[in-house]
Amino acid sequence: MARQRWTSRTVFILAAVGSAVGLGNLWRFPYLAGKYGGGAFLIPYLIALVLVGVPLLMLELAVGQKMQQGAIGSYQKLHPSFVGLGLLALTSSFIIVSYYAVIMAWSLIYLFASFGVPWSDDAEGYFFQEVLQLSDSVNSLGGINWSVLFSLLFIWVLVYFCVWKGTKSVGQIVRYSVPLPVILLGLLLLRAVTLPGFLDGWAMYLNPDWSALLNPEVWTAAFSQVFYTLSLAFGIMIAYGSYKDLDDDIAKDTWITVLLNSGTSLFAGLVVFGVLGYMAGQTGIPLTELAASGPGLAFVVFPQALSLMPWSGIFSVLFFLMLLLLGIDSAFSLAEAVNAAIIDRHRQLSITKISIIVCCAAALAGIIYTTRAGLYFLDLVDHFVTSYNLLLVGIGQSILVGWIYGAEKMRRYINQVSDWKVGKWWNVSVKYLIPSILATLLTAQFSTDLRIPYEDYPAWALSIGWAITILPSLAFLLLLMLNQKQKEA
Ligand code: PHE
């Protein structure tokens, strides 16, 4: 069977942008900017984007397009011993999609509740007690929260119908699901700039605090954000690249994706901080406190701000609809990364069948997050996957392409097919900068986690986290050694 193809270049770009633009743009970016020096955060962010983000995205798209395979097959073709690197990337995808869908399930519950704005009296209580029914600690599972579970099932049906015909169904969906949330964001911006106090929010968002640049933590945050926001090291961009033709452009598509994604982040920051500025004025809670709420921003602080406005029901509907639409392209891109790798190996299976298996398996894995201790597990798993597994894959692929396959060889291929030529700086980035920066981040995180147990979770819970990092890494090493032995024999 011939490999699937994107129906057009626009569809490919929409799909790549759809994967990149997600919850990370809406709350993670604004929250980091607020926390780390406002406008000054843009400097490390932009540096990280150019030094690591652009070259790595280009690398993944080029690998997929050149090898015409998903992550496992592509790495294996680059060097047979690296088959395990694909496994490492895809286990991250699988783990992340299983909880990413749960966050979308919460958004769905909020969407249905939006008309009545039931959180107006106590947004925090509504989220933790009503919606999540959160238990006291990770030690008490507290049974299944059925409304979250049903909502999760519904999300999986949606995701399934996005990927069930591969690039064909994805292509039909992204035409709407990518531009629409940006339009909704525009409507929310119009609302924000008609609220008193929005300028105070913007002042905090955009006024640079230059001293922040001296704080190493700011730089770590900028590099991790770039990694996360471009959906790197999940095998997604490799799978998406593999549905392009061998002679399609790479460099220009990379820059377009990066610019659209970061543009959306900046834009989302204006909305979030505009609304927070208003809320600070109404409630007297300092802006710094509101902005520092992190993940709670989407489900506690922002809903509360919405409830303070006139027409709160309508704007709440718009907001949660936007959240769902932002999330869905990221969710199905993760599923698609796994699908692509399975299809490469089992040509006789149809895409529809593989999609059913992958979606059901990920939905089953997600049940743990629908228990009343779900939020604790989600936080724990997210911490380990994004702090370790992703960075390991990033280091692995830069070594594989930069040193083993040859950065110069890959750069020549990229330049052969692209309108905009890529200079030798790309080789330097792939061979030296990316592995050393990522290794530094990894070591820093590791030493922190060894000194301070993450969020004071009990040892049994932390060992689940470590297992998520260590087991796939061991599998990778084992496969590497086995293949090496085989070759020598
Ligand atoms: N890029 C997405 C965001 O910014 C997150 C994501 C990461 C999605 C990995 C898919 C895979 O929200």
Side-chain angles (χ1 to χ4, degrees):
M1 229 168 38
R3 193 166 186 76
Q4 320 177 49
R5 293 282 156 222
W6 296 110
T7 41
S8 72
R9 182 172 181 185
T10 317
V11 162
F12 158 72
I13 291 175
L14 283 175
V17 172
S19 171
V21 173
L23 297 176
N25 304 60
L26 191 79
W27 66 257
R28 213 165 181 270
F29 175 80
Y31 148 70
L32 291 175
K35 182 169 172 196
Y36 294 121
F41 180 72
L42 281 183
I43 294 174
Y45 175 79
L46 289 177
I47 292 179
L49 201 63
V50 173
L51 287 188
V52 168
V54 172
L56 210 49
L57 179 59
M58 206 176 281
L59 179 149
E60 293 196 8
L61 291 176
V63 163
Q65 181 171 319
K66 176 111 198 352
M67 302 300 153
Q68 293 286 308
Q69 301 255 337
I72 296 186
S74 283
Y75 293 137
Q76 195 175 16
K77 262 177 139 178
L78 286 169
H79 193 284
S81 300
F82 274 70
V83 60
L85 189 61
L87 276 177
L88 187 59
L90 294 179
T91 41
S92 315
S93 276
F94 183 80
I95 290 170
I96 291 196
V97 76
S98 64
Y99 71 71
Y100 205 85
V102 177
I103 302 178
M104 293 178 60
W106 304 340
S107 315
L108 188 67
I109 293 177
Y110 269 84
L111 177 62
F112 280 114
S114 279
F115 296 94
V117 202
W119 54 80
S120 55
D121 292 333
D122 176 13
E124 208 169 321
Y126 182 76
F127 180 54
F128 293 109
Q129 270 112 50
E130 295 256 330
V131 177
L132 299 186
Q133 299 169 3
L134 190 64
S135 65
D136 303 336
S137 82
V138 69
N139 287 313
S140 63
L141 272 188
I144 301 259
N145 178 339
W146 293 99
S147 54
V148 176
L149 183 65
F150 282 124
S151 177
L152 178 67
L153 289 180
F154 187 77
I155 294 291
W156 274 110
V157 173
L158 287 183
V159 172
Y160 169 73
F161 282 111
C162 292
V163 293
W164 72 313
K165 292 198 173 155
T167 50
K168 241 201 257 156
S169 49
V170 167
Q172 283 161 345
I173 300 284
V174 292
R175 280 172 202 281
Y176 306 98
S177 63
V178 178
L180 201 58
V182 181
I183 295 172
L184 294 179
L185 206 53
L187 288 179
L188 287 167
L189 183 68
L190 285 181
R191 177 70 270 205
V193 298
T194 50
L195 292 168
F198 82 94
L199 277 176
D200 299 333
W202 283 10
M204 180 185 172
Y205 175 42
L206 299 171
N207 270 350
D209 165 14
W210 299 110
S211 68
L213 293 181
L214 297 173
N215 178 0
E217 211 182 294
V218 176
W219 290 86
T220 325
F223 278 100
S224 330
Q225 171 62 8
V226 160
F227 221 76
Y228 184 83
T229 193
L230 290 174
S231 309
L232 296 171
F234 290 93
I236 296 174
M237 295 303 181
I238 296 181
Y240 277 11
S242 76
Y243 301 139
K244 297 171 82 190
D245 283 326
L246 265 176
D247 56 356
D248 277 347
D249 190 284
I250 294 173
K252 207 194 264 176
D253 289 4
T254 304
W255 283 102
I256 294 175
T257 307
V258 167
L259 289 176
L260 288 176
N261 175 58
S262 295
T264 314
S265 287
L266 289 173
F267 187 45
L270 291 177
V271 177
V272 168
F273 276 90
V275 170
L276 293 188
Y278 162 74
M279 183 170 168
Q282 299 288 308
T283 58
I285 307 173
L287 200 54
T288 38
E289 211 169 287
L290 293 177
S293 57
L297 191 66
F299 295 101
V300 178
V301 176
F302 213 87
Q304 194 185 346
L306 291 167
S307 73
L308 298 174
M309 317 176 168
W311 302 76
S312 55
I314 294 185
F315 285 101
S316 302
V317 170
L318 289 185
F319 176 73
F320 287 107
L321 188 62
M322 177 191 71
L323 215 54
L324 273 174
L325 287 167
L326 280 181
I328 191 111
D329 316 277
S330 303
F332 70 65
S333 70
L334 288 160
E336 186 56 46
V338 181
N339 282 358
I342 301 180
I343 291 169
D344 293 336
R345 303 232 144 181
H346 303 278
R347 297 267 161 168
Q348 76 287 4
L349 282 177
S350 69
I351 300 172
T352 320
K353 257 197 213 124
I354 293 173
S355 303
I356 290 193
I357 298 169
V358 170
C359 290
C360 286
L364 276 179
I367 291 179
I368 183 77
Y369 310 108
T370 68
T371 61
R372 293 191 169 78
L375 183 65
Y376 303 118
F377 285 107
L378 198 155
D379 177 47
L380 188 78
V381 171
D382 175 69
H383 173 74
F384 281 92
V385 176
T386 54
S387 320
Y388 296 107
N389 299 35
L390 292 191
L391 299 182
L392 286 171
V393 173
I395 296 170
Q397 56 186 12
S398 58
I399 291 175
L400 176 58
V401 174
W403 294 91
I404 298 175
Y405 179 82
E408 180 57 21
K409 196 162 144 203
M410 193 57 93
R411 189 179 74 96
R412 258 188 266 129
Y413 168 64
I414 296 174
N415 281 343
Q416 194 189 325
V417 296
S418 302
D419 289 342
W420 299 351
K421 304 297 172 208
V422 183
K424 286 237 160 72
W425 63 273
W426 190 81
N427 301 358
V428 177
S429 174
V430 170
K431 286 174 76 165
Y432 304 101
L433 278 178
I434 296 176
S436 48
I437 290 172
L438 297 185
T440 312
L441 294 182
L442 195 74
T443 331
Q445 188 65 55
F446 190 55
S447 81
T448 311
D449 276 340
L450 284 187
R451 274 182 296 124
I452 314 159
Y454 180 63
E455 298 281 334
D456 270 327
Y457 283 115
W460 69 267
L462 287 172
S463 47
I464 295 181
W466 286 114
I468 284 176
T469 294
I470 292 171
L471 293 181
S473 310
L474 280 183
F476 163 62
L477 285 180
L478 203 69
L479 284 167
L480 190 81
M481 288 184 322
L482 281 180
N483 279 309
Q484 246 3 55
K485 272 242 171 70
Q486 232 172 20
K487 240 183 40 194
E488 280 159 21

